[in-house]
Amino acid sequence: MKTKFHFGSIISIFLKLVEFLISNIQKFGKKSLIILMVFIRKHGLTKVLQTINLVLELINKIITLLFCNPPRCHQGNWDNDRFSKNARFSWTMQKLKALNIRDVKHLCRHLKCSEKELHNFCNHPDAYYNEFVVKVKGKNRPIAQPRGRLKQILTNLQCLLSRIELPGYLHGGVKEHSPKTNALCHINKSAVFNFDLEDFFPSVRPYMVYDLFKNRLGCRSQIAWILTQLVTFKDGLPQGSPTSTVVANLVIVPLSKRLNNLSKKHGCTYTQFVDDGTISGPGYIERLRPLIDKIISQEGLRASPKAHKRTTKHRHEEQLVTKVRVNKRIDISTEKLDEIRHELDELKTMVFRGDTALQKRINSLRGKIQYVKTLNPEKASKLNNKLTRIFKAVS
């Protein structure tokens, strides 16, 4: 004789089953969901579950524990974790609106370090950086790269900060964004106005970073000070640190919101790629330049006064956004195309001359042609054919 259960008893048993599976998630693994589905179908709970928020939340907990495993994400060793890389990625990339780090121990769990290490990094930063100068387009650029343990901890911090939500018009250093996605926003516009934030990383001062962590990301004063000490070096953001780009993006969110609101009022489109800003729209956008400069100045930064870094181009001219042509469609810039053609001619001369050290030059050209392919496959095909003919002529 079958025992008849009251409906409330079934729900009670179901909840106990869910709690049991949560507490034994490592033992049952994916079988947990199968057990639940069998129970649901057997007792006709499918429609009821759609209206019971508590049950749905419990099922969501099982899915989170099964595929994300948040407690071990902060405390465990990834090398010994049974969960797949995709599962770990799905947890670590869940978006945040704030950090809300309240004490040092909480911060240490996020960064996978000790309080003693944090103390050393904050009080003796010079001991953990390699400083050197590189030449970029004829200009000396100071680089400060963190090394050793500090680099590992800053990489952990960079992963954490990358989870904070950013407005869609910020493209630089953001996953699934690139110069191409930045340029796509400005295709076929009457005018394109480009501007540059002068000495961007060095201009992001510690007080701006402290304000970011304390007032906008919800950290306590002590934590905001420690994080500021970690990500800044010699009164600015160091070029060469893994955290500099993401911190810079977060710092300029208020500025970018103001520029985006201004653009919307005039029927324009605004995007920002690290220090390169672009506003496109009606032909009169050049008149907005003084107001744009004023807004940038009010936010503690400065627009570059150099003519080649603040340009307005109209339809009859070549319009470039992050070095991508945007007149009627995205395309390779004329300057970049000419540069690659010139390199191909140089390579042809070197091959006929019998030079042997060609592999590095060939690899560089193939990389550039591959970049052209992402913008204009037809032009890339022609360049690739030319590269093939060079070698056929020799062989």
PDB file of all heavy atoms in Angstrom, residues 308-333:
ATOM      1  N   HIS A 308      48.195  67.620 -33.622  1.00  0.00           N
ATOM      2  CA  HIS A 308      47.961  66.288 -34.192  1.00  0.00           C
ATOM      3  C   HIS A 308      47.206  65.381 -33.226  1.00  0.00           C
ATOM      4  O   HIS A 308      46.785  64.281 -33.603  1.00  0.00           O
ATOM      5  CB  HIS A 308      49.285  65.637 -34.606  1.00  0.00           C
ATOM      6  CG  HIS A 308      50.171  65.259 -33.458  1.00  0.00           C
ATOM      7  ND1 HIS A 308      50.931  66.189 -32.771  1.00  0.00           N
ATOM      8  CD2 HIS A 308      50.411  64.067 -32.866  1.00  0.00           C
ATOM      9  CE1 HIS A 308      51.612  65.569 -31.807  1.00  0.00           C
ATOM     10  NE2 HIS A 308      51.309  64.290 -31.842  1.00  0.00           N
ATOM     11  N   LYS A 309      47.014  65.837 -31.971  1.00  0.00           N
ATOM     12  CA  LYS A 309      46.287  65.029 -30.997  1.00  0.00           C
ATOM     13  C   LYS A 309      44.896  65.585 -30.705  1.00  0.00           C
ATOM     14  O   LYS A 309      44.188  65.076 -29.844  1.00  0.00           O
ATOM     15  CB  LYS A 309      47.090  64.931 -29.697  1.00  0.00           C
ATOM     16  CG  LYS A 309      48.333  64.062 -29.843  1.00  0.00           C
ATOM     17  CD  LYS A 309      48.917  63.692 -28.504  1.00  0.00           C
ATOM     18  CE  LYS A 309      50.042  62.694 -28.664  1.00  0.00           C
ATOM     19  NZ  LYS A 309      50.585  62.233 -27.370  1.00  0.00           N
ATOM     20  N   ARG A 310      44.507  66.619 -31.408  1.00  0.00           N
ATOM     21  CA  ARG A 310      43.143  67.163 -31.288  1.00  0.00           C
ATOM     22  C   ARG A 310      42.692  67.611 -32.660  1.00  0.00           C
ATOM     23  O   ARG A 310      42.908  68.749 -33.069  1.00  0.00           O
ATOM     24  CB  ARG A 310      43.077  68.288 -30.257  1.00  0.00           C
ATOM     25  CG  ARG A 310      44.189  69.310 -30.340  1.00  0.00           C
ATOM     26  CD  ARG A 310      44.199  70.244 -29.163  1.00  0.00           C
ATOM     27  NE  ARG A 310      42.969  70.955 -28.988  1.00  0.00           N
ATOM     28  CZ  ARG A 310      42.406  71.168 -27.791  1.00  0.00           C
ATOM     29  NH1 ARG A 310      42.988  70.731 -26.703  1.00  0.00           N
ATOM     30  NH2 ARG A 310      41.277  71.835 -27.684  1.00  0.00           N
ATOM     31  N   THR A 311      42.066  66.702 -33.371  1.00  0.00           N
ATOM     32  CA  THR A 311      41.701  66.940 -34.766  1.00  0.00           C
ATOM     33  C   THR A 311      40.203  66.782 -34.975  1.00  0.00           C
ATOM     34  O   THR A 311      39.543  66.017 -34.278  1.00  0.00           O
ATOM     35  CB  THR A 311      42.425  65.940 -35.691  1.00  0.00           C
ATOM     36  OG1 THR A 311      42.049  64.616 -35.336  1.00  0.00           O
ATOM     37  CG2 THR A 311      43.939  66.080 -35.561  1.00  0.00           C
ATOM     38  N   THR A 312      39.697  67.525 -35.950  1.00  0.00           N
ATOM     39  CA  THR A 312      38.312  67.349 -36.397  1.00  0.00           C
ATOM     40  C   THR A 312      38.340  67.072 -37.890  1.00  0.00           C
ATOM     41  O   THR A 312      38.872  67.867 -38.667  1.00  0.00           O
ATOM     42  CB  THR A 312      37.467  68.608 -36.120  1.00  0.00           C
ATOM     43  OG1 THR A 312      37.505  68.901 -34.720  1.00  0.00           O
ATOM     44  CG2 THR A 312      36.022  68.378 -36.528  1.00  0.00           C
ATOM     45  N   LYS A 313      37.795  65.933 -38.294  1.00  0.00           N
ATOM     46  CA  LYS A 313      37.796  65.540 -39.707  1.00  0.00           C
ATOM     47  C   LYS A 313      36.359  65.379 -40.187  1.00  0.00           C
ATOM     48  O   LYS A 313      35.518  64.788 -39.505  1.00  0.00           O
ATOM     49  CB  LYS A 313      38.548  64.226 -39.901  1.00  0.00           C
ATOM     50  CG  LYS A 313      40.015  64.277 -39.488  1.00  0.00           C
ATOM     51  CD  LYS A 313      40.830  65.182 -40.377  1.00  0.00           C
ATOM     52  CE  LYS A 313      42.299  65.183 -39.973  1.00  0.00           C
ATOM     53  NZ  LYS A 313      43.106  66.096 -40.827  1.00  0.00           N
ATOM     54  N   HIS A 314      36.102  65.901 -41.411  1.00  0.00           N
ATOM     55  CA  HIS A 314      34.763  65.816 -42.002  1.00  0.00           C
ATOM     56  C   HIS A 314      34.713  64.731 -43.071  1.00  0.00           C
ATOM     57  O   HIS A 314      35.720  64.082 -43.349  1.00  0.00           O
ATOM     58  CB  HIS A 314      34.372  67.176 -42.560  1.00  0.00           C
ATOM     59  CG  HIS A 314      34.240  68.229 -41.494  1.00  0.00           C
ATOM     60  ND1 HIS A 314      35.323  68.953 -41.022  1.00  0.00           N
ATOM     61  CD2 HIS A 314      33.156  68.666 -40.787  1.00  0.00           C
ATOM     62  CE1 HIS A 314      34.923  69.790 -40.071  1.00  0.00           C
ATOM     63  NE2 HIS A 314      33.618  69.631 -39.915  1.00  0.00           N
ATOM     64  N   ARG A 315      33.547  64.555 -43.669  1.00  0.00           N
ATOM     65  CA  ARG A 315      33.332  63.425 -44.585  1.00  0.00           C
ATOM     66  C   ARG A 315      34.340  63.374 -45.732  1.00  0.00           C
ATOM     67  O   ARG A 315      34.742  62.291 -46.164  1.00  0.00           O
ATOM     68  CB  ARG A 315      31.921  63.502 -45.180  1.00  0.00           C
ATOM     69  CG  ARG A 315      30.813  63.153 -44.216  1.00  0.00           C
ATOM     70  CD  ARG A 315      29.504  63.039 -44.982  1.00  0.00           C
ATOM     71  NE  ARG A 315      28.355  62.941 -44.103  1.00  0.00           N
ATOM     72  CZ  ARG A 315      27.927  61.830 -43.541  1.00  0.00           C
ATOM     73  NH1 ARG A 315      28.575  60.697 -43.768  1.00  0.00           N
ATOM     74  NH2 ARG A 315      26.858  61.817 -42.764  1.00  0.00           N
ATOM     75  N   HIS A 316      34.717  64.538 -46.270  1.00  0.00           N
ATOM     76  CA  HIS A 316      35.603  64.566 -47.432  1.00  0.00           C
ATOM     77  C   HIS A 316      37.056  64.270 -47.065  1.00  0.00           C
ATOM     78  O   HIS A 316      37.912  64.147 -47.944  1.00  0.00           O
ATOM     79  CB  HIS A 316      35.515  65.930 -48.123  1.00  0.00           C
ATOM     80  CG  HIS A 316      35.972  67.079 -47.275  1.00  0.00           C
ATOM     81  ND1 HIS A 316      35.159  67.642 -46.310  1.00  0.00           N
ATOM     82  CD2 HIS A 316      37.158  67.746 -47.223  1.00  0.00           C
ATOM     83  CE1 HIS A 316      35.815  68.624 -45.712  1.00  0.00           C
ATOM     84  NE2 HIS A 316      37.029  68.708 -46.243  1.00  0.00           N
ATOM     85  N   GLU A 317      37.332  64.156 -45.752  1.00  0.00           N
ATOM     86  CA  GLU A 317      38.685  63.844 -45.295  1.00  0.00           C
ATOM     87  C   GLU A 317      38.719  62.413 -44.738  1.00  0.00           C
ATOM     88  O   GLU A 317      37.685  61.811 -44.503  1.00  0.00           O
ATOM     89  CB  GLU A 317      39.102  64.818 -44.191  1.00  0.00           C
ATOM     90  CG  GLU A 317      39.048  66.281 -44.594  1.00  0.00           C
ATOM     91  CD  GLU A 317      39.250  67.206 -43.398  1.00  0.00           C
ATOM     92  OE1 GLU A 317      38.277  67.377 -42.638  1.00  0.00           O
ATOM     93  OE2 GLU A 317      40.376  67.728 -43.242  1.00  0.00           O
ATOM     94  N   GLU A 318      39.946  61.909 -44.549  1.00  0.00           N
ATOM     95  CA  GLU A 318      40.079  60.587 -43.934  1.00  0.00           C
ATOM     96  C   GLU A 318      39.828  60.716 -42.432  1.00  0.00           C
ATOM     97  O   GLU A 318      40.554  61.391 -41.726  1.00  0.00           O
ATOM     98  CB  GLU A 318      41.477  59.999 -44.174  1.00  0.00           C
ATOM     99  CG  GLU A 318      41.597  58.583 -43.638  1.00  0.00           C
ATOM    100  CD  GLU A 318      42.945  57.946 -43.931  1.00  0.00           C
ATOM    101  OE1 GLU A 318      43.978  58.607 -43.670  1.00  0.00           O
ATOM    102  OE2 GLU A 318      42.980  56.799 -44.392  1.00  0.00           O
ATOM    103  N   GLN A 319      38.766  60.059 -41.966  1.00  0.00           N
ATOM    104  CA  GLN A 319      38.401  60.096 -40.545  1.00  0.00           C
ATOM    105  C   GLN A 319      38.965  58.856 -39.851  1.00  0.00           C
ATOM    106  O   GLN A 319      38.671  57.724 -40.237  1.00  0.00           O
ATOM    107  CB  GLN A 319      36.877  60.140 -40.388  1.00  0.00           C
ATOM    108  CG  GLN A 319      36.242  61.379 -40.993  1.00  0.00           C
ATOM    109  CD  GLN A 319      34.722  61.293 -41.022  1.00  0.00           C
ATOM    110  OE1 GLN A 319      34.159  60.214 -41.226  1.00  0.00           O
ATOM    111  NE2 GLN A 319      34.050  62.418 -40.846  1.00  0.00           N
ATOM    112  N   LEU A 320      39.776  59.074 -38.815  1.00  0.00           N
ATOM    113  CA  LEU A 320      40.414  57.975 -38.100  1.00  0.00           C
ATOM    114  C   LEU A 320      39.983  57.973 -36.636  1.00  0.00           C
ATOM    115  O   LEU A 320      39.904  59.026 -36.003  1.00  0.00           O
ATOM    116  CB  LEU A 320      41.938  58.087 -38.166  1.00  0.00           C
ATOM    117  CG  LEU A 320      42.599  58.036 -39.552  1.00  0.00           C
ATOM    118  CD1 LEU A 320      44.104  58.194 -39.422  1.00  0.00           C
ATOM    119  CD2 LEU A 320      42.268  56.729 -40.258  1.00  0.00           C
ATOM    120  N   VAL A 321      39.710  56.766 -36.123  1.00  0.00           N
ATOM    121  CA  VAL A 321      39.425  56.572 -34.699  1.00  0.00           C
ATOM    122  C   VAL A 321      40.302  55.423 -34.226  1.00  0.00           C
ATOM    123  O   VAL A 321      40.205  54.313 -34.756  1.00  0.00           O
ATOM    124  CB  VAL A 321      37.937  56.243 -34.464  1.00  0.00           C
ATOM    125  CG1 VAL A 321      37.685  55.964 -32.989  1.00  0.00           C
ATOM    126  CG2 VAL A 321      37.056  57.379 -34.950  1.00  0.00           C
ATOM    127  N   THR A 322      41.160  55.693 -33.255  1.00  0.00           N
ATOM    128  CA  THR A 322      42.188  54.736 -32.798  1.00  0.00           C
ATOM    129  C   THR A 322      42.881  54.081 -34.005  1.00  0.00           C
ATOM    130  O   THR A 322      43.002  52.852 -34.096  1.00  0.00           O
ATOM    131  CB  THR A 322      41.596  53.662 -31.853  1.00  0.00           C
ATOM    132  OG1 THR A 322      40.350  53.168 -32.368  1.00  0.00           O
ATOM    133  CG2 THR A 322      41.394  54.209 -30.463  1.00  0.00           C
ATOM    134  N   LYS A 323      43.277  54.929 -34.954  1.00  0.00           N
ATOM    135  CA  LYS A 323      44.040  54.548 -36.147  1.00  0.00           C
ATOM    136  C   LYS A 323      43.278  53.628 -37.103  1.00  0.00           C
ATOM    137  O   LYS A 323      43.880  52.944 -37.928  1.00  0.00           O
ATOM    138  CB  LYS A 323      45.376  53.905 -35.749  1.00  0.00           C
ATOM    139  CG  LYS A 323      46.273  54.842 -34.953  1.00  0.00           C
ATOM    140  CD  LYS A 323      47.584  54.208 -34.611  1.00  0.00           C
ATOM    141  CE  LYS A 323      48.458  55.178 -33.810  1.00  0.00           C
ATOM    142  NZ  LYS A 323      49.744  54.581 -33.413  1.00  0.00           N
ATOM    143  N   VAL A 324      41.944  53.615 -36.986  1.00  0.00           N
ATOM    144  CA  VAL A 324      41.091  52.846 -37.898  1.00  0.00           C
ATOM    145  C   VAL A 324      40.238  53.828 -38.689  1.00  0.00           C
ATOM    146  O   VAL A 324      39.632  54.736 -38.116  1.00  0.00           O
ATOM    147  CB  VAL A 324      40.181  51.865 -37.118  1.00  0.00           C
ATOM    148  CG1 VAL A 324      39.237  51.140 -38.073  1.00  0.00           C
ATOM    149  CG2 VAL A 324      41.021  50.866 -36.337  1.00  0.00           C
ATOM    150  N   ARG A 325      40.186  53.637 -39.995  1.00  0.00           N
ATOM    151  CA  ARG A 325      39.402  54.523 -40.856  1.00  0.00           C
ATOM    152  C   ARG A 325      37.913  54.231 -40.692  1.00  0.00           C
ATOM    153  O   ARG A 325      37.497  53.056 -40.673  1.00  0.00           O
ATOM    154  CB  ARG A 325      39.815  54.337 -42.318  1.00  0.00           C
ATOM    155  CG  ARG A 325      39.121  55.275 -43.270  1.00  0.00           C
ATOM    156  CD  ARG A 325      39.739  55.225 -44.643  1.00  0.00           C
ATOM    157  NE  ARG A 325      39.034  56.099 -45.566  1.00  0.00           N
ATOM    158  CZ  ARG A 325      39.550  56.582 -46.691  1.00  0.00           C
ATOM    159  NH1 ARG A 325      40.780  56.283 -47.028  1.00  0.00           N
ATOM    160  NH2 ARG A 325      38.835  57.361 -47.463  1.00  0.00           N
ATOM    161  N   VAL A 326      37.077  55.291 -40.591  1.00  0.00           N
ATOM    162  CA  VAL A 326      35.649  55.091 -40.304  1.00  0.00           C
ATOM    163  C   VAL A 326      34.732  55.872 -41.251  1.00  0.00           C
ATOM    164  O   VAL A 326      33.556  56.061 -40.949  1.00  0.00           O
ATOM    165  CB  VAL A 326      35.323  55.481 -38.835  1.00  0.00           C
ATOM    166  CG1 VAL A 326      36.005  54.558 -37.864  1.00  0.00           C
ATOM    167  CG2 VAL A 326      35.686  56.945 -38.559  1.00  0.00           C
ATOM    168  N   ASN A 327      35.232  56.303 -42.411  1.00  0.00           N
ATOM    169  CA  ASN A 327      34.424  57.161 -43.288  1.00  0.00           C
ATOM    170  C   ASN A 327      33.079  56.536 -43.676  1.00  0.00           C
ATOM    171  O   ASN A 327      32.026  57.087 -43.383  1.00  0.00           O
ATOM    172  CB  ASN A 327      35.209  57.513 -44.550  1.00  0.00           C
ATOM    173  CG  ASN A 327      36.314  58.512 -44.265  1.00  0.00           C
ATOM    174  OD1 ASN A 327      37.276  58.189 -43.557  1.00  0.00           O
ATOM    175  ND2 ASN A 327      36.182  59.729 -44.764  1.00  0.00           N
ATOM    176  N   LYS A 328      33.109  55.379 -44.343  1.00  0.00           N
ATOM    177  CA  LYS A 328      31.863  54.703 -44.726  1.00  0.00           C
ATOM    178  C   LYS A 328      31.759  53.317 -44.094  1.00  0.00           C
ATOM    179  O   LYS A 328      30.673  52.768 -43.965  1.00  0.00           O
ATOM    180  CB  LYS A 328      31.775  54.586 -46.244  1.00  0.00           C
ATOM    181  CG  LYS A 328      31.577  55.938 -46.932  1.00  0.00           C
ATOM    182  CD  LYS A 328      31.388  55.775 -48.429  1.00  0.00           C
ATOM    183  CE  LYS A 328      31.159  57.124 -49.095  1.00  0.00           C
ATOM    184  NZ  LYS A 328      31.001  56.995 -50.563  1.00  0.00           N
ATOM    185  N   ARG A 329      32.889  52.759 -43.727  1.00  0.00           N
ATOM    186  CA  ARG A 329      32.993  51.468 -43.073  1.00  0.00           C
ATOM    187  C   ARG A 329      34.354  51.419 -42.391  1.00  0.00           C
ATOM    188  O   ARG A 329      35.196  52.275 -42.635  1.00  0.00           O
ATOM    189  CB  ARG A 329      32.878  50.316 -44.087  1.00  0.00           C
ATOM    190  CG  ARG A 329      33.739  50.492 -45.322  1.00  0.00           C
ATOM    191  CD  ARG A 329      34.083  49.185 -46.000  1.00  0.00           C
ATOM    192  NE  ARG A 329      35.049  48.414 -45.226  1.00  0.00           N
ATOM    193  CZ  ARG A 329      35.518  47.219 -45.600  1.00  0.00           C
ATOM    194  NH1 ARG A 329      35.096  46.668 -46.724  1.00  0.00           N
ATOM    195  NH2 ARG A 329      36.394  46.573 -44.863  1.00  0.00           N
ATOM    196  N   ILE A 330      34.576  50.456 -41.541  1.00  0.00           N
ATOM    197  CA  ILE A 330      35.912  50.369 -40.942  1.00  0.00           C
ATOM    198  C   ILE A 330      36.897  49.873 -41.994  1.00  0.00           C
ATOM    199  O   ILE A 330      36.582  49.015 -42.813  1.00  0.00           O
ATOM    200  CB  ILE A 330      35.944  49.462 -39.697  1.00  0.00           C
ATOM    201  CG1 ILE A 330      35.440  48.051 -40.016  1.00  0.00           C
ATOM    202  CG2 ILE A 330      35.171  50.063 -38.544  1.00  0.00           C
ATOM    203  CD1 ILE A 330      35.746  47.059 -38.907  1.00  0.00           C
ATOM    204  N   ASP A 331      38.096  50.454 -41.964  1.00  0.00           N
ATOM    205  CA  ASP A 331      39.108  50.132 -42.971  1.00  0.00           C
ATOM    206  C   ASP A 331      40.478  50.475 -42.410  1.00  0.00           C
ATOM    207  O   ASP A 331      40.598  51.227 -41.435  1.00  0.00           O
ATOM    208  CB  ASP A 331      38.828  50.909 -44.253  1.00  0.00           C
ATOM    209  CG  ASP A 331      39.479  50.275 -45.475  1.00  0.00           C
ATOM    210  OD1 ASP A 331      40.293  49.342 -45.300  1.00  0.00           O
ATOM    211  OD2 ASP A 331      39.180  50.712 -46.598  1.00  0.00           O
ATOM    212  N   ILE A 332      41.486  49.940 -43.057  1.00  0.00           N
ATOM    213  CA  ILE A 332      42.860  50.261 -42.678  1.00  0.00           C
ATOM    214  C   ILE A 332      43.163  51.699 -43.099  1.00  0.00           C
ATOM    215  O   ILE A 332      42.708  52.160 -44.146  1.00  0.00           O
ATOM    216  CB  ILE A 332      43.855  49.259 -43.351  1.00  0.00           C
ATOM    217  CG1 ILE A 332      45.280  49.471 -42.849  1.00  0.00           C
ATOM    218  CG2 ILE A 332      43.773  49.349 -44.856  1.00  0.00           C
ATOM    219  CD1 ILE A 332      45.517  49.000 -41.456  1.00  0.00           C
ATOM    220  N   SER A 333      43.924  52.420 -42.301  1.00  0.00           N
ATOM    221  CA  SER A 333      44.261  53.806 -42.652  1.00  0.00           C
ATOM    222  C   SER A 333      45.231  53.831 -43.830  1.00  0.00           C
ATOM    223  O   SER A 333      46.008  52.889 -44.044  1.00  0.00           O
ATOM    224  CB  SER A 333      44.888  54.519 -41.458  1.00  0.00           C
ATOM    225  OG  SER A 333      46.158  53.975 -41.173  1.00  0.00           O
TER     226      SER A 333
END
